[in-house]
Each structure stands twice: as structure tokens, then as C-alpha cells.
């Protein structure tokens, strides 16, 4: 049985999320903006939930705009996994899934944005 084909939207999300460096965070909304899908933060979350775990895409580095791990009933148990992966990267997460977003928030530089754009155009 072959793996299901990922949609172009999912591929675009994966391209951008792959740029988020270890020990840094991004929000679902930022990822949506970077792929040109303004206002589609929730869809970014759905695309990340469709990843097969474990994944080489650092999905754990994407959190909600309030600086919290988003609990997902469709991903039974991925919230504790995300918490553990972030702690292993040096990002503190409290018991309620809150993290210091402002301290660890990542913004790509112009070179990274250009590289992302080039890869996105190739899809």
C-alpha cells in the first residue's frame, strides 16, 4: 500500500515548516502568511496533523498565536509528544502547554524568505 499523496497546500506547509530552526517557534498564522494563504492558520494545523509521525518535518515548532501547544483530538497524544520534543530543543513548556513565544519566535531573514519563495514556486 502506498502513502496517500499530499496536497499542494500540505506540501507548501511542509516546505516552510522545514525552515524553522531547532530551538525556535512559529505560529500557524505565520506559516499561513508565508505560503500566501492569509487567514488560513487552522488549515495549516490540519496539514501538520496529516503528517505521518515520526516526521522529518519539525511540526512541533509550530504553535498557536497565544503561545500554546494546540491540543488535538485527531492526533491522540501528540500534545505530550510536541511538549517533549520542544523541551528537548531547549524550549520550556509548562504543564498547561504554555511556552515563552516572544522569546523563541522565529522570523526568517530575507535570504530564507527568498529561498522559501523559490521552493514554493517550484511546487
Amino acid at each position: 500500500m502506498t502513502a496517500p499523496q499530499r496536497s499542494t497546500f500540505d506540501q507548501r506547509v511542509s516546505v516552510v515548516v522545514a525552515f524553522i530552526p531547532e530551538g525556535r517557534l512559529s505560529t500557524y498564522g505565520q506559516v499561513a502568511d508565508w505560503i500566501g494563504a492569509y487567514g488560513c492558520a487552522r488549515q495549516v494545523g490540519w496539514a501538520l496533523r496529516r503528517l505521518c509521525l515520526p516526521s522529518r518535518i519539525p511540526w512541533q515548532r509550530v504553535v498557536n498565536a497565544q503561545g500554546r501547544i494546540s491540543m488535538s483530538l485527531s492526533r491522540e497524544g501528540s500534545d505530550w509528544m510536541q511538549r517533549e520534543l520542544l523541551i528537548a530543543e531547549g524550549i520550556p513548556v509548562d504543564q498547561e502547554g504554555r511556552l515563552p513565544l516572544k522569546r523563541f519566535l522565529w522570523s526568517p531573514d530575507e535570504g530564507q524568505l527568498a529561498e522559501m519563495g523559490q521552493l514554493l514556486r517550484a511546487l
Side-chain angles (χ1 to χ4, degrees):
M1 182 176 202
T2 61
Q5 192 69 20
R6 296 194 74 213
S7 72
T8 302
F9 184 89
D10 290 6
Q11 291 171 355
R12 293 171 66 80
V13 168
S14 292
V15 163
V16 169
V17 172
F19 274 87
I20 304 169
E22 185 173 330
R24 302 305 298 247
L25 300 168
S26 181
T27 67
Y28 297 106
Q30 285 178 306
V31 173
D33 291 351
W34 293 327
I35 66 170
Y38 308 102
C40 293
R42 183 167 289 163
Q43 288 83 352
V44 168
W46 293 337
L48 292 174
R49 283 186 203 107
R50 285 189 287 270
L51 287 171
C52 293
L53 298 181
S55 175
R56 293 187 306 171
I57 303 299
W59 61 273
Q60 72 275 8
R61 298 176 188 156
V62 185
V63 298
N64 70 27
Q66 290 76 40
R68 298 180 70 111
I69 291 173
S70 295
M71 306 303 171
S72 171
L73 297 176
S74 65
R75 257 293 164 85
E76 298 171 7
S78 66
D79 51 331
W80 70 264
M81 189 183 308
Q82 185 175 16
R83 182 179 185 281
E84 294 302 315
L85 289 167
L86 291 173
I87 289 170
E89 292 186 19
I91 300 173
V93 184
D94 71 15
Q95 292 300 327
E96 285 77 43
R98 292 183 301 247
L99 355 89
L101 181 60
K102 288 182 182 176
R103 190 166 104 202
F104 291 95
L105 190 63
W106 176 70
S107 291
D109 61 33
E110 287 187 30
Q112 291 165 324
L113 285 171
E115 189 176 351
M116 275 190 243
Q118 185 177 19
L119 291 170
L120 292 172
R121 283 188 295 279
L123 290 177

